[in-house]
Amino acid sequence: MGRLLILYLFFALRSRLPLYHDDRSQTSRRFRAAVLRVLRDKRTPRRAAQWSARAYACAFQSAEDVRLFVAACADGNRGGFFNETTAAGEMPAQTGQRVFAARLRQFSEHQHPARAQTPEDVRPIRTLVFASAPPSPQSLAQLSQCPSIVVLVGHHHGDDLIFNTLAASTHAPGAISRRNLIRDNAPAFSEPEKQIADLCDCVAADILDAATSTRSIARALPEFLAADAAQHLSDVFYRAAEDANALLHEAQHLSADEQLVLIAPPPSLAKAVSAVAPEHTTVIVLDGVVDAAADRFAQSGVTKLEPLHPGARPLLRLFRRLQRRIDAALPDDHIFANGGAFIAADRRTGVYRRAGDLAMEALSADVPTGLINVGAAEPAPFLRSLLAPNLHAAIHAPNLSETSIFAYNAEIALTQSLAAKTIAGVSASALQDVLSAELHRHIRAVIGCHILQKRLSARLFDTPTTLLLAPGFNPIGASMARAFQANKQQTIDIQAVLISEHPRYKAPITEHCSVIDSFSANIYTGQFGVDPSRVHQVGSLTLEAELADADQLNQASIYDSLFRGRHASGNVVVYATQPLIPLDDQIAAARALGNLVRDDDSLSLCVKLHPAQPDADRMTIVSALTDSLNTPEGERWRVLHHEPFARAFAVTDILVSYFSNVCLMGAARGVPVLTLPTRVKSPALTMSDMGVATEVADLADLPSAIHVARTAGKEHSTGSNYMQHNAHIGDGQASTRLSALVKATLQR
């Protein structure tokens, strides 16, 4: 109990101080876990249990937390206490506790779910594992008897921890592997991906429609800001929904000689997975609630919830606390008073961080320029980062229980919206618990972005001409752009990567768009409907920086480090992989290229993995090439992963890839580019269509395509057609063109 009190004091202090370091920490989760341990302990006095329940009500975040609370009460034989807790008036009328009590009333005493009981034992057969949380020791004990385990990896941030935990528990080497759930079941440009993207857009729009039906919210949230908030919510839902959708598709193709184990799954998703799995197949739930009562609550309990009205005081308290944090994180007023250009960049994402830095470097000599980080805080010494203001941390302020009532009311609209839709052949209500958790986790950020727009707009009032540049879409950057626009200030979107008809790419909200090439300009004007006069072909700052880095490298030293000093008398083929391509396709391509190198002593091979791919992909490709070439890595082949691409490009004679930004580097330097076949649907506009590359329709045609690429001169390179329409690519003047665009825009 003493440890619980210390945790509570730390939790309460943390929720009130304007701290920024790791502001989305596990403080609240650890406190809730400590409370549950107290409630499970049958020796805990009744008064202590009552105090713990009230404290837990202030810290809960989602419906799943309510289920865990009910399960803990069942474990501690606190049925009578549970009923008293749900009675009206037992909980104080604080906002978070009111929401918690309203949820608890959905249960009756006979609906108490027992702790996770496995409906049947895990059998010693091939086992697919999808984990929403690290497995318990009991689950590990059951899984350790499986001869083969495949961990299904999605977007979940704990996948590496889960994989390593399972790997440490198995005894036979090679008994555990991982497979990308998204690449195999809902890859880019596929119909399942489009369906889930459309579903997220529709559900988010329904929630905002329900919110703006309230007159007070409609007045505070104009139509264009409501659309921004809906887009923000849709992005919040997308990755979690994509995981769930891919899991449903995986379950539909489960075979009789394998079993699917779900670890701590959301109950509504567990039921749907069991429903879509073929007959005579096994779906097992570990570390989760599986009884019928909990299942009924997951499917229909939320529909019985009635909207709660928070009252003016809690809302005022919430807005004031968020305003204080946002004001502290925003630049000082005197910075805006001087006018100039401001770059809103996500500095935790590599390509956008570099794009922001390069834009800053390009503009600072001609225009007063400032850089605003709209991403999570960068790693820094603890004491400095503890109090260093950061917009992302301020907006994702933790432990504001007042936001729970917004999530509670929004969840009613969420439930109604999902009930009217289907996904993967089942009711979209399968996503209820999944999206509910994301809603509770991110609702404060949606509110925070709206407050940011209001606060920044007030700061920009009656200031000299200023300009905001935004490399890539970011909800915080979008809110800042709206604030600039509200004060008749200019905004420019900087295209940092190639775009396509991918359903998550949306029209920029800025007045002007700096694009890479003519094909991007056509997408902005045709697909997005942007006025052609607002689209400016500037080029790519990051691509030119990569080319400059490659040009400065010493080829002899690169050969020495990659191939142990063996200078290829013929050509070096560089194969640039992409994370969206199924690993089987990557392995097949690597083997085909390895066979070419094995049979032709004048060829060398360098495989460059995308930095976003897991280390396991590198190990798999290294193993495949070792088998094909029968030589150790470094003799005539090398696999690079986290190294800069410029290091591989410096020695590239032939570039092989799919639909990658690096293909433009080949076109800019006259390097032949080949694109490989994959079972993943390609964008409507391929590199071949753009005139950048020659398409290899079948791996059997790869040897002849390599031969043609080796014998053709630069004047006949694959990218010559592209460069005729985009001569500016790689000319080193992108920064000059961007600077001219900024200066011209500021003078308007």
Side-chain angles (χ1 to χ4, degrees), residues 310-367:
R313 183 173 296 179
L315 296 184
L316 190 60
R317 183 166 59 245
L318 165 66
F319 291 139
R320 283 176 176 171
R321 291 173 67 181
L322 277 171
Q323 283 176 7
R324 285 197 299 269
R325 298 172 66 90
I326 290 170
D327 285 344
L330 279 170
D332 293 335
D333 289 345
H334 72 272
I335 295 178
F336 293 113
N338 297 323
F342 296 89
I343 302 166
D346 181 355
R347 297 193 56 77
R348 286 301 290 265
T349 305
V351 64
Y352 297 121
R353 178 179 64 249
R354 191 165 198 198
D357 290 342
L358 291 170
M360 181 84 175
E361 182 181 335
L363 301 177
S364 56
D366 302 318
V367 178

Side-chain angles (χ1 to χ4, degrees), residues 313-640:
R313 183 173 296 179
L315 296 184
L316 190 60
R317 183 166 59 245
L318 165 66
F319 291 139
R320 283 176 176 171
R321 291 173 67 181
L322 277 171
Q323 283 176 7
R324 285 197 299 269
R325 298 172 66 90
I326 290 170
D327 285 344
L330 279 170
D332 293 335
D333 289 345
H334 72 272
I335 295 178
F336 293 113
N338 297 323
F342 296 89
I343 302 166
D346 181 355
R347 297 193 56 77
R348 286 301 290 265
T349 305
V351 64
Y352 297 121
R353 178 179 64 249
R354 191 165 198 198
D357 290 342
L358 291 170
M360 181 84 175
E361 182 181 335
L363 301 177
S364 56
D366 302 318
V367 178
T369 308
L371 186 63
I372 303 173
N373 181 21
V374 296
E378 297 178 81
F382 177 76
L383 288 179
R384 188 178 70 187
S385 61
L386 187 68
L387 298 175
N390 173 265
L391 269 176
H392 183 276
I395 285 173
H396 290 83
N399 308 329
L400 298 179
S401 63
E402 292 87 353
T403 59
S404 63
I405 201 161
F406 287 94
Y408 173 94
N409 289 331
E411 193 173 341
I412 299 173
L414 169 69
T415 304
Q416 295 169 347
S417 179
L418 289 175
K421 298 173 177 61
T422 59
I423 195 71
V426 298
S427 170
S429 295
L431 304 180
Q432 174 70 50
D433 292 329
V434 175
L435 300 191
S436 173
E438 296 301 311
L439 184 64
H440 281 265
R441 190 175 296 119
H442 294 279
I443 191 70
R444 60 179 63 91
V446 177
I447 298 171
C449 282
H450 176 62
I451 295 175
L452 168 65
Q453 187 269 333
K454 295 293 187 184
R455 303 302 291 174
L456 181 57
S457 181
R459 288 197 178 196
L460 291 171
F461 180 73
D462 201 24
T463 59
T465 302
T466 54
L467 171 74
L468 183 77
L469 297 99
F473 177 83
N474 179 289
I476 298 176
S479 298
M480 297 182 71
R482 291 300 191 190
F484 273 71
Q485 292 167 354
N487 285 275
K488 304 290 191 293
Q489 310 287 15
Q490 298 292 311
T491 55
I492 299 177
D493 170 74
I494 301 179
Q495 182 190 358
V497 295
L498 289 173
I499 59 174
S500 62
E501 75 278 11
H502 192 283
R504 300 316 296 170
Y505 287 129
K506 306 294 183 182
I509 65 172
T510 55
E511 283 91 354
H512 300 278
C513 304
S514 160
V515 301
I516 293 176
D517 59 9
S518 61
F519 293 95
S520 297
N522 290 338
I523 291 176
Y524 273 67
T525 56
Q527 179 179 326
F528 295 156
V530 180
D531 187 334
S533 64
R534 295 170 46 205
V535 179
H536 313 271
Q537 293 186 45
V538 168
S540 171
L541 298 175
T542 53
L543 182 145
E544 289 195 351
E546 287 273 11
L547 287 171
D549 292 345
D551 292 342
Q552 293 172 5
L553 293 174
N554 184 282
Q555 283 194 342
S557 64
I558 298 297
Y559 277 118
D560 185 63
S561 61
L562 292 182
F563 307 116
R564 299 180 183 174
R566 180 186 181 278
H567 192 295
S569 58
N571 299 103
V572 175
V573 179
V574 171
Y575 170 36
T577 67
Q578 289 185 264
L580 296 177
I581 304 300
L583 186 58
D584 290 346
D585 288 352
Q586 297 181 43
I587 293 171
R591 287 186 184 277
L593 290 168
N595 292 338
L596 283 174
V597 172
R598 180 194 61 203
D599 298 336
D600 188 341
D601 192 56
S602 67
L603 280 178
S604 299
L605 173 64
C606 177
V607 179
K608 176 62 177 77
L609 269 69
H610 193 283
Q613 292 184 240
D615 293 335
D617 284 8
R618 183 189 186 280
M619 296 170 59
T620 303
I621 291 178
V622 166
S623 177
L625 286 174
T626 302
D627 292 342
S628 294
L629 289 150
N630 200 26
T631 58
E633 184 180 9
E635 289 293 334
R636 297 176 56 201
W637 60 279
R638 175 74 68 177
V639 179
L640 304 179

